[in-house]
Amino acid sequence: DAKTTQPPSMDCAEGRAANLPCNHSTISGNEYVYWYRQIHSQGPQYIIHGLKNNETNEMASLIITEDRKSSTLILPHATLRDTAVYYCIVRPGGAGYALNFGKGTSLLVTP
Amino acid sequence: EPEVTQTPSHQVTQMGQEVILRCVPISNHLYFYWYRQILGQKVEFLVSFYNNEISEKSEIFDDQFSVERPDGSNFTLKIRSTKLEDSAMYFCASRRDTAYNEQFFGPGTRLTVL
């Protein structure tokens, strides 16, 4: 699996955009970029995923560089409830593949 | 909105005892997973299950662990003889099929081995 590198922590003011970076320079052509988050000790929550195009859903946007070696998760208007650990995971999209969680980025949204 | 459920929320057991952790995946999902998270550490994959058999397992998933889908709705993780180091949050997850990439996680069962 491609290895990912994320900053251990970030802060963001409430209402501002939170931009969480991830480096995955060894990503293979069949590997997707997934983002999950874990609020306190709850079960991880899926946010978004992409292969090479930028993606947007109701929670976030995912920007993947053209060479696919890095990506950025954007929470457009962060709220206090977005305080969580955010995980960038690179895995093939096929059936049965497990998610390999790293240490992620601990995002603190402040009032 | 459908969700993965897990019971119990907290299980306390004595070392050496057997425990069974239960999960009810989302009803039309075909792939099932167990993960664990030791306090303060990262989430670790244990096992994936599809078509009534294990499709992938990690080094953690040794002979002390087993999984079963005893009926059409439940998915269980059994630990035969618990050790102190098995104390962790155990998360069940499910995924619909190969056309959908996201895994949906349950709230977890906190296992405490004394």
Side-chain angles (χ1 to χ4, degrees), chain A residues 34 36 38 93-95 98-99, chain B residues 31 35 37 45 95 98 101 103:
Chain A
Y34 298 84
Y36 283 75
Q38 186 175 28
L99 297 170
Chain B
Y31 295 89
Y35 295 81
Q37 186 174 32
F45 166 72
R95 173 180 168 180
T98 54
N101 284 291
Q103 293 183 23

